[in-house]
Amino acid sequence: MKTIGLIGGMSWESSAEYYRLLNEQVKQKLGGLHSATCILYSVDFQQIEHFQARGQWDKASFVLAQAAQSLERAGADFIVICTNTMHKVVAVIEEAITIPILHIADATANQIKEAGLQKIALLGTMYTMEQEFYKSRVEGYGIDVIVPDYHSRMEVNRIIYEELCLGSIVPNSKSYYIQVINDLVQAGAQGIILGCTEIGLLIQQQDIDVPVFDTTAIHAQAAVSMAIQEET
């Protein structure tokens, strides 16, 4: 089994979910007492969020590149960045190491393609929904990506940072997300990308009538397949 290097802490709520999913899936695939061989480098999210808010992506990328280098030195065979937003700086991190990074958008787009969907809605942080680093990656697979309107993007983002990243699950926020998703379905979305690793704490498939692509679960599944050298 290959060793998975996890860059976590963004937030630790979703990083804990990654750890649970990785071990559950290894056990499911290999049986017995098997668990995931992994190393976690958990950063201080307050520092990362500070850089995000000020547009200091170079400083944020430096922190994550150092984390990736530490994981490589510790014996990781590949890297999993446990957040969608910070894939914005994946190219900088890749330059700092010699081992591969398993990109969350690639893993997600592959599942969307397998489902035969052509138009997908994306929820996430403002950075993920508005900037091209994530949408264009998915669109490169021939998938049309739409996002909520500006007001909805603002509220979706607020709920992520002020509630979900702090482990707070608010029923009214769940209802709001479902309404936003229903509006996107009315606009033609055939499925929904939960493009922030915390959103899966709030929204599950049983809440939505169209296919839901939980990036945390998808990324973890792809990591396990890579770790046990299983074809994805």
Side-chain angles (χ1 to χ4, degrees), residues 18 64 66 71 140 196:
Y18 266 92
L64 298 197
Q66 284 192 315
L71 289 168
C196 172

Side-chain angles (χ1 to χ4, degrees), residues 9 11-22 40 82 216:
S11 67
W12 71 261
E13 297 283 348
S14 62
S15 300
E17 188 71 1
Y18 266 92
Y19 186 71
R20 180 185 68 81
L21 289 166
L22 289 171
L40 170 64
C82 302
T216 302

Side-chain angles (χ1 to χ4, degrees), residues 111-213:
Q111 284 213 5
I112 296 167
K113 290 290 287 185
E114 287 175 10
L117 307 186
Q118 297 176 323
K119 189 171 186 177
I120 201 84
L122 171 63
L123 297 183
T125 65
M126 291 287 284
Y127 313 109
T128 300
M129 290 186 288
E130 293 185 349
Q131 298 180 20
E132 290 301 314
F133 70 91
Y134 196 95
K135 289 189 294 182
S136 62
R137 190 99 178 192
V138 175
E139 288 169 344
Y141 286 78
I143 301 165
D144 185 20
V145 179
I146 62 173
V147 297
D149 61 36
Y150 176 75
H151 174 77
S152 299
R153 294 197 302 269
M154 290 287 288
E155 183 62 7
V156 166
N157 184 79
R158 184 198 67 77
I159 290 168
I160 290 169
Y161 281 99
E162 296 183 12
E163 297 175 14
L164 300 180
C165 287
L166 299 174
S168 178
I169 307 302
V170 179
N172 285 345
S173 295
K174 183 184 182 81
S175 298
Y176 183 81
Y177 265 58
I178 291 172
Q179 182 57 56
V180 170
I181 289 169
N182 288 337
D183 289 344
L184 290 164
V185 172
Q186 288 296 315
Q190 300 168 310
I192 309 294
I193 299 175
L194 305 185
C196 172
T197 51
E198 283 80 24
I199 298 178
L201 304 174
L202 187 68
I203 297 295
Q204 290 81 43
Q205 180 62 72
Q206 60 264 29
D207 301 316
I208 307 299
D209 292 332
V210 298
V212 167
F213 297 89

Side-chain angles (χ1 to χ4, degrees), residues 4-39:
I4 306 167
L6 302 165
I7 303 180
M10 302 169 286
S11 67
W12 71 261
E13 297 283 348
S14 62
S15 300
E17 188 71 1
Y18 266 92
Y19 186 71
R20 180 185 68 81
L21 289 166
L22 289 171
N23 285 290
E24 284 182 352
Q25 290 176 30
V26 168
K27 180 182 178 182
Q28 181 182 2
K29 290 178 182 296
L30 300 181
L33 297 175
H34 283 290
S35 56
T37 304
C38 60
I39 308 166

